[in-house]
Amino acid sequence: MLIELSSLDLAMAGTLVVLLGALTAYMQLGISKQLYIAAARTTVQLLLVGLVLKSLFASTSLAFILLIAFIMISVAGWEILSRQKRKLKGWWGFGISTGSLFVSSFIITLLCLMTVIQADPWYSPQYAIPLLGMLLGNTMTGIALGMDRLVQNAWQQRPVIEQRLMLGQTADESISDIRREAMRAGMIPIINSMAAAGLVSLPGMMTGQILAGAAPVEAVKYQILIMFMITSGTGLGVISVLWLISKRLFDERERLCFKRLLKDTGTQYK
Amino acid sequence: MQLLNIKKLKFLHCGPMSIQVNADEIIGLSGASGSGKSLFLRALADMEPHDGVILLDDLNQQDIEAHLWRQKVALLSAETSWWFDTVGEHFDEIAEDSLSALGFSKDCLQWSISRLSSGEKQRLGLLRIMQNKPEVLLLDEPTANLDKRNTQLFESFVKQYIENNSACVIWVGHDLEQLQRISPQRYEIEEGRLINVD
């Protein structure tokens, strides 16, 4: 039996977030506004989705589920972009992040639904939507971190990149060290989760299933499946984003092309 | 024998500039700060967008990949950058006599980058760019931080190199005495024009 939470319980937890925001504001760490907006968003968004989830799961229309998936991917792409200190101009930033989410998360979810889970029909929303959601959530984090690290470091290390170009290295070689760093930054969260799973952290989905009465071994199998999917999705997503962005940072004569970047806008929520 | 042929080069507000440089030749180039000397060198190395035609022998700059061009037409900028921890990691292989010709011994390869003086960086930067055996050397105020003795070593090292390799040099500097010493051909950039000032 689930212990019900009262509004007061949530309010207590909320107070902690408010205190944290006040502390960061006092220390001038410049994150309190983002923190409050994100906390408000999580409350509203989860409440809303909680209301419609039942009817969503009852739906059997493929077109409708594809529409939901499309919205989820676009929002994730947008969120990645809002986390960037320096964005690519025009539609490039959104295009690259959303495109990479699509080729990683969407295709891996599809693969998994059709070959591994094989629900009937394969797009059954109670499998498809949470699966895609978990993949997108993690891939989004990886991509946002990797992308930010790549562009920031390229910006800061402009003299080194140009020096390497002047020494006759290709554009690809000249940014290779920075790209390696960015790949690491993007993959660390998921590598941490896999390494700590079961010892430090009990993954939420598995724990939930067990609490809800599922056989532990079955729940664990699902969790491992999810972990592997998240890892390959994140890896693919980060690789494609880093590849596309490092292409975009150079022009056809292998020169750094920072005029394709917008000015530093800070990491403000939009 | 003509090696580098620059026709109607334009970049930013500068140009058109035309000039030919022969093999075994050093061209001295001076001009006020901000006149576009460094941009001129960067355009020759294709590090800066530009119009006009740049030929190395008969090879058009735009007909080969940019990184291959930069191996042939090498730019040594006024400030060099170093990204590994030690000097040696920036070199594939380096002959001991080249090191000693610029006043270094083999131990300098173990030095950490953070302890290099700006003069050492300039001399090592020259050795580093020489690894590509460039046909054209573009030197941007290369001896600005060197004392008299090291300046002499630097000059004779460059002269020796172009003689042995039929290369050519465009040497940007402020020291008119030095430019007269190393090159019979002196140019100045003034209001975006290249003017011969023998």
Side-chain angles (χ1 to χ4, degrees):
Chain A
M1 218 17 238
L2 205 60
I3 300 170
E4 286 198 9
L5 289 179
S6 68
S7 312
L8 188 69
D9 299 332
L10 287 183
M12 266 178 58
T15 313
L16 291 177
V17 177
V18 172
L19 284 178
L20 176 67
L23 183 64
T24 55
Y26 175 70
M27 294 174 71
Q28 300 186 339
L29 296 173
I31 193 113
S32 39
K33 192 175 155 206
Q34 280 190 55
L35 197 64
Y36 288 146
I37 296 176
R41 280 183 58 173
T42 207
T43 314
V44 175
Q45 288 165 195
L46 286 180
L47 281 176
L48 287 179
V49 86
L51 293 178
V52 299
L53 208 56
K54 272 223 161 108
S55 46
L56 184 69
F57 281 1
S59 158
T60 49
S61 149
L62 177 60
F64 181 65
I65 290 159
L66 283 178
L67 175 74
I68 300 283
F70 176 75
I71 294 174
M72 289 165 71
I73 290 178
S74 312
V75 172
W78 181 253
E79 290 301 325
I80 289 175
L81 216 57
S82 343
R83 239 39 97 232
Q84 303 302 310
K85 211 164 155 66
R86 290 173 204 278
K87 306 176 180 56
L88 287 174
K89 273 186 189 161
W91 284 89
W92 284 96
F94 184 72
I96 287 177
S97 54
T98 314
S100 302
L101 281 174
F102 181 82
V103 299
S104 55
S105 298
F106 187 78
I107 293 188
I108 287 190
T109 308
L110 213 61
L111 200 78
C112 181
L113 286 172
M114 293 173 112
T115 62
V116 183
I117 295 184
Q118 294 183 323
D120 183 38
W122 61 268
Y123 52 85
S124 296
Q126 68 267 39
Y127 290 99
I129 301 288
L131 212 57
L132 180 63
M134 280 187 278
L135 245 84
L136 278 178
N138 286 281
T139 310
M140 183 178 99
T141 305
I143 290 181
L145 289 173
M147 198 166 165
D148 191 52
R149 180 69 65 92
L150 180 76
V151 177
Q152 276 294 98
N153 278 4
W155 180 273
Q156 281 162 5
Q157 293 180 36
R158 174 187 197 137
V160 167
I161 298 177
E162 292 213 314
Q163 175 73 76
R164 296 177 71 152
L165 292 173
M166 288 188 277
L167 284 166
Q169 295 192 358
T170 62
D172 213 49
E173 282 171 274
S174 73
I175 202 167
S176 56
D177 290 338
I178 293 175
R179 200 164 43 197
R180 195 173 306 125
E181 264 303 297
M183 185 75 207
R184 221 173 66 85
M187 293 303 285
I188 276 181
I190 184 60
I191 290 178
N192 274 349
S193 320
M194 282 201 293
L199 290 175
V200 181
S201 63
L202 289 175
M205 186 197 73
M206 176 189 98
T207 314
Q209 278 183 321
I210 295 175
L211 288 181
V217 176
E218 289 310 306
V220 165
K221 282 198 252 173
Y222 262 97
Q223 189 63 53
I224 294 174
L225 176 74
I226 294 292
M227 285 290 205
F228 287 172
M229 283 172 61
I230 288 175
T231 307
S232 36
T234 306
L236 267 180
V238 179
I239 287 174
S240 73
V241 156
L242 296 185
W243 186 71
L244 288 167
I245 291 197
S246 38
K247 281 261 170 284
R248 187 73 193 149
L249 286 178
F250 294 92
D251 67 11
E252 70 292 345
R253 295 300 295 171
E254 302 178 79
R255 294 183 282 241
L256 263 185
C257 204
F258 282 147
K259 62 172 192 280
R260 289 174 180 166
L261 292 177
L262 288 172
K263 282 213 185 92
D264 179 4
T265 49
T267 35
Q268 291 295 314
Y269 254 94
K270 289 260 172 59
Chain B
M1 196 192 76
Q2 182 183 313
L3 186 58
L4 188 65
N5 190 353
I6 301 160
K7 298 185 207 164
K8 295 188 178 153
L9 175 69
K10 287 188 209 168
F11 51 91
L12 267 187
H13 330 291
C14 298
M17 298 175 175
S18 298
I19 184 178
Q20 286 91 39
V21 191
N22 297 327
D24 300 331
E25 191 175 29
I26 299 181
I27 296 273
L29 180 63
S30 54
S33 308
S35 58
K37 304 182 298 285
S38 299
L39 281 179
F40 175 68
L41 295 189
R42 282 174 62 93
L44 297 185
D46 212 358
M47 290 295 291
E48 208 67 45
H50 58 272
D51 286 323
V53 178
I54 300 172
L55 298 171
L56 178 66
D57 286 325
D58 292 323
L59 178 65
N60 189 317
Q61 184 194 57
Q62 301 300 310
D63 288 345
I64 64 169
E65 286 180 83
H67 67 273
L68 296 177
W69 176 264
R70 290 181 197 125
Q71 289 170 12
K72 295 173 187 291
V73 179
L75 170 58
L76 179 65
S77 51
E79 294 266 341
T80 56
S81 288
W82 304 81
W83 58 95
F84 293 118
D85 292 346
T86 63
V87 171
E89 291 169 277
H90 294 83
F91 290 89
D92 292 329
E93 51 181 315
I94 174 105
E96 209 161 340
D97 51 344
S98 324
L99 282 171
S100 57
L102 283 179
F104 292 107
S105 69
K106 200 102 185 162
D107 331 327
C108 81
L109 297 177
Q110 269 78 54
W111 290 354
S112 92
I113 294 301
S114 52
R115 61 153 281 194
L116 292 181
S117 73
S118 47
E120 286 166 339
K121 278 186 184 166
Q122 281 184 311
R123 286 180 288 148
L124 289 167
L126 178 69
L127 290 173
R128 181 174 60 173
I129 203 125
M130 294 292 204
Q131 292 182 106
N132 292 331
K133 291 258 166 237
E135 291 170 55
V136 179
L137 267 175
L138 309 169
L139 305 178
D140 194 353
E141 302 188 27
T143 56
N145 299 307
L146 300 187
D147 58 29
K148 206 166 168 196
R149 194 186 108 79
N150 278 317
T151 303
Q152 272 170 2
L153 289 178
F154 195 102
E155 285 172 16
S156 44
F157 185 77
V158 169
K159 276 187 187 156
Q160 191 67 53
Y161 176 80
I162 63 169
E163 268 168 37
N164 295 345
N165 297 276
S166 309
C168 70
V169 177
I170 298 181
W171 188 307
V172 165
H174 283 299
D175 182 352
L176 296 184
E177 210 175 290
Q178 177 186 48
L179 294 182
Q180 273 161 358
R181 182 168 66 233
I182 54 174
S183 85
Q185 290 267 41
R186 225 159 48 71
Y187 287 80
E188 213 163 289
I189 295 186
E190 215 178 279
E191 289 171 0
R193 308 268 149 180
L194 207 52
I195 302 163
N196 194 323
V197 281
D198 285 293

